[in-house]
Amino acid sequence: MTSPTEELFGGGSATGRLMARLDWPATPLGPVQSWPQSLRAAVRIVLSSRYPMLLLWGDQFTQLYNDAYSALIGDKHPGALGDDVRTTLAEGWDVLAPLIDDAMATGVASWVPALQLLLDRSGYREEAYFSVSHAPARDDDGRTVGVFTVCSEVTEQVVGERRLGLLRDLSVRGDGRTVDVASTCARLVEAIGGHRLDVPFAAIYLREGTALHRVACTGDGPVAAVLPDVVVAGDPAWGLWAAGGGATTEVHGVAQWITLPAGAFDDPVASAVALPLPSAEADQPLGVLVAGVSPSRALDEAYRSFFHLLAQQVAVAVRNARAYEEERRRAEALAELDRVKTSFFTNVSHEFRTPLTLMLGPLTDALADERHPLPPEQRERVDTARRNATRLLTLVNSLLTFSSLEAGRARSQARQVDLPELTAELAGVFRSAVERAGLRLEVDCPPLPRPVALDPANWERIVTNLLSNALKHTFVGRISVGLHAHPTELRLTVADTGIGIAEEEMPRLFERFHRVDGARSRSHEGTGIGLALVGELARLEGGDVRVDSQVGRGSTFTVALPWSALHRGTDDTVVAGDLGDTARAAAQEASGWLVDPVRPEPVEEGSPGTLPDDGRSVRILVADDNADMRAYLARLLTAQGWRVDTVGNGRQALDAIRRNAPDLVLTDVMMPEVDGFALVRTLRGQPDTRALPVVVLSARAGADAAVEGLDLGADDYVVKPFTAADLVARVRATLEGARRRLRAPDAEDGRPEPPRSTPPAGAAPSPAPPATGPAEAAPARTAPDSVRSSTGTAEGASVEVAADPAARAVVPASSEVAPAGGASSSGRVVGPAAVGPSAEGTRRAAPAGAPITVRSPNGHEKASVVDTAWSYPSEAVSASAMRRDVRSSLEALHVHPDVVQDLLVAASEAFNNAVEHAQQPTRPEVRVRLQVGAGTARLTVRDFGAWRDRRSAMDRGRGATLMNAFGDVRLMSTASGTTVTIERRLTDDHS
Ligand code: ADP
């Protein structure tokens, strides 16, 4: 038989069993047998519910509850059974009492979705949330004697949502695209500061060099006072250093350092966490986020993962801000560069304008002089000079316009103009050039419905620039110029059926100095200022310019001027200047792009320019895209008795050579379609043109360009401007060299083998151009009898110079003693000394590091060449050994002592940087390589560590100043190491 107690509390629940054993007679409810029916029924309901339920019965609010509820009150259970709720939940009673009283007084059930309760159920004053409903509980007589409380805990949802809110806030406030790193961090902590229930305080530390620096902190007072400003290696404070190394650290005992009331009930903060701010490298966090832990919440799994998300969010914002800062710095640097360029050009332009004007005056007078007319030949020369001086003046004027636009000095000097007539006239100036190019020119400029006023000179430059661009980039079809009135504006359109402009170029098209790389054009000449000027002038006139274009279909440029801008007061003091001059100069220049290949009259046999061997006249093919230059070269070379063919680019040159190979090619470098370097490369790659002598002509002064040209196999490299005598002498020498080669008995086909892509077995590593040379592997000539001074390096790069069969390689005496590099006491030569694949007995193989003088095919001494590499332990003391090695190599080449000194100073700086800045090198060495050739010495210093602060040594300080003062310095830094390249010309002021 079951007792009444067992019958009431039975059912298998743990709480029920506890209730069955409870000493009820000792409670206000008395023995179970005495309980009214209503209480028994209520108890059954509570115990049978799986939802947390609490029954408070009687004056003493005696508690009866089920298993689900027992879980909510933590360690208050089971003490709470049969006890007064006012005792059990004393800390939350002030919140609960009104709700219970209300339910009992009104008899109406209440419901609160998220009631905040202070609970001391787990050993601390916890912030908890419950969804609670109180319903009146009645006795057998229907009197309200207690309450049914149905509740469920929603702490996780409430706190979770609140934390999510903070993360959301952070992602908005920390948007790094609008601010720099410091202000981003300030905004981040400000956002965090608005969520003190979850993060009572926070500070952001970022890594700078080897220390962590505090960049932002919530609040201004007590927290900032106790947190360190800077943390260095090993400092245990606040777990910062450990977190900086990637380990999340919990900090306890915070209350010892700071009393900071926080959380839901203003209890003092007791602990904090130091969290790494993750970066791309796991062991190199960006910095650390220190965050206080709420005293009202346990640091449980959910809280920890919230802190990790917080740190991630902060890191993302910092990284974005850094990227933005970097981008902005780059943009600023570019803008500054633009400004410096413009101001440089302006200064230079001013200097140019006077002499140009003084040149143009007499030249124009000479051409116009009818009393003393120039003989036709002189007229042609003077005309060329005048045309090009005019071109230069136009360029100079454009640059000056830019600078006055920039300085806000430029004004539009508006006058009433018959714009349709002016526009049609300007277009007409181009008619003959357009038609000679095989294109149609359509001009449609009907009368306008109202008068307009604008600056005609500006208009002329706008129309001229657009037209000459159209002509430059259009090869079939037409160019149309239109001027039409629209309801709100006047529109000038210049449309062509040319190559069109790619979508991705559009945003930068009107930027100063911007040019489209590789665009097909009639001329390679251009500065990238034409469209920028059109844009700025259109704006100066109150309008704007836009472009519609489709690749392969053509482009339409539209200059739109609102009518309001065309009704300005006119400046009658302005006299119409030389209107049309700009257009005429541009049209004349454009005509130059159209000149067909010319073949001047052949000269008489036996004249001084003939090749005596076979009595045949020498034929030279000139490739240059500038018509005046072509004409000038043709005149110059024909005057020597040579026959000259001219073409406008490399492709035409290849066609002409295929049809009828000349004796020598004289080619410009910068040409449309196929440039000079590509031409040389192609010629050297084909068996029948491998031996064809080529002289490269370029405006690109500088050792790199020359090395590139010669590396590709050009016989000589002439820099513009050149003197007529020098050019003729060098062409002649190249021809002589070729002739000797033909005659030389051991000369096989007179030209070395084409390049090999792989070396024969056992041979030296395949030569490659110097590391900083052209990206495309140049077909360096690998003659059977070539002598290589090649020292393999880690990158496998080496310099190779081929000696011509007709001109023996001369190894100076200095190389017969042990080479400087090989004799190095502390350094070791990296890689084996390489010898050409079939060096003959008569030829001496040059050991690595030995200087070699190589003669070029024309017999002129071309360059002293050395290529040596050393490796040193990555220690400051190695610098002196390095200096000794570099010095002796340079001295062996008889390099001027001043140059040696400069290079040594620069090398020392680069070496010190390599030792100092390379962190955790994968190899404890610094490699130094010395390459000398084509009048230039190149020193490369390479380390195998990551530079923490890649800018440090280059952007500031003595090192950078010194290096830059003595040579051209480049720095290439990757994760695996940094290479500093120093270049110095061997001759300049020391001749
Ligand atoms: P430049 O002509 O001196 O190179 P511009 O500022 O006049 O400089 O033009 C910038 C670039 O825009 C040119 O390099 C060219 O590639 C492109 N461009 C200009 N006009 C045209 C056009 N009508 N058709 C195709 N490309 C054009």
Side-chain angles (χ1 to χ4, degrees), residues 469-470 472-473 496 499-501 509 514-516 519 526-532 555 557:
N469 273 349
K472 204 191 243 184
H473 299 286
D496 62 55
I499 58 163
I501 300 158
L509 203 61
H514 179 73
R515 307 193 69 207
V516 178
T527 47
I529 61 173
L531 287 180
S555 314
F557 285 85

